[in-house]
Amino acid sequence: MKSEKRSRLAALPPQGSELPRTFYPNPIAEWSIWTLLFGIGGFVAGMMASFSVYDGFMSSSFTWVIFIILAIMGTIALIAAYFTGRSAMTVRVEANGISYARGRDDLQWVTVAWGEILLLTEKSRTYRGTVRHWIELEFRDNRKKLKLPQDIEGYATLRDMLFRVFTPAK
């Protein structure tokens, strides 16, 4: 998966350090979640098969139970991959504002001028020793806060660029 990620990142247009600059989501996020969930289903099915073989209860009808478990986990994994792909965020930082779009295909860009942003903060949460960071944008017109996750490729550069360009209006 690492080589696939590297090849997909190499296929993206080159980015400079000046504005406008586009930050893309993790190119293999969908397949990472699919592999994880299908692997969990495969582990469960494998454990069931090994226990039934050990106890002498393995039969052709029980084999279908294992195939059904794998089919259910495959379906759950595909649904999770679909929703992960839909929530992927692409961000473009421009001189007059920030644009963002969700998903992978046919991006519907939403552009926000710097003056419409009330507050820009970096937040984090720790769960079992793993720290997740995100940038939260709060808007003047009380619409929902926008969270830019650390899954965006070049998150550190995006964070530094946003804090350098954005100056809150008084």
Side-chain angles (χ1 to χ4, degrees):
M1 287 181 64
K2 286 184 180 181
S3 63
E4 179 67 21
K5 182 177 182 178
R6 279 193 294 267
S7 67
R8 287 189 183 196
L9 286 175
L12 295 174
Q15 298 285 322
S17 60
E18 66 280 344
L19 298 177
R21 177 149 182 208
T22 305
F23 296 90
Y24 297 96
N26 184 346
I28 60 166
E30 297 95 324
W31 299 114
S32 299
I33 194 72
W34 185 88
T35 304
L36 175 72
L37 291 176
F38 194 71
I40 291 171
F43 178 76
V44 169
M47 292 303 291
M48 287 179 65
S50 61
F51 288 140
S52 63
V53 166
Y54 179 74
D55 290 338
F57 293 121
M58 190 67 170
S59 66
S60 60
S61 60
F62 190 73
T63 304
W64 283 105
V65 170
I66 293 171
F67 288 143
I68 289 170
I69 289 172
L70 289 175
I72 290 170
M73 283 307 291
T75 304
I76 291 171
L78 283 175
I79 291 169
Y82 171 76
F83 284 110
T84 300
R86 279 191 51 194
S87 68
M89 183 165 305
T90 306
V91 178
R92 185 172 50 219
V93 179
E94 301 164 343
N96 58 348
I98 185 170
S99 301
Y100 62 93
R102 293 192 185 276
R104 298 254 185 219
D105 302 325
D106 266 346
L107 297 176
Q108 304 295 320
W109 291 97
V110 176
T111 303
V112 179
W114 292 118
E116 296 177 33
I117 299 173
L118 180 65
L119 188 61
L120 175 71
T121 55
E122 182 179 23
K123 296 192 174 184
S124 65
R125 174 169 288 151
T126 303
Y127 179 73
R128 293 188 180 183
T130 303
V131 180
R132 300 282 301 162
H133 296 274
W134 68 91
I135 299 170
E136 195 169 86
L137 295 156
E138 190 174 333
F139 302 105
R140 292 192 182 282
D141 56 0
N142 292 331
R143 64 179 131 165
K144 189 175 178 181
K145 294 177 182 177
L146 176 65
K147 292 183 179 180
L148 305 175
Q150 84 179 52
D151 297 346
I152 296 174
E153 293 299 322
Y155 172 81
T157 307
L158 172 64
R159 179 193 60 219
D160 296 343
M161 187 177 286
L162 285 176
F163 283 116
R164 187 181 69 236
V165 171
F166 176 72
T167 53
K170 305 216 183 327

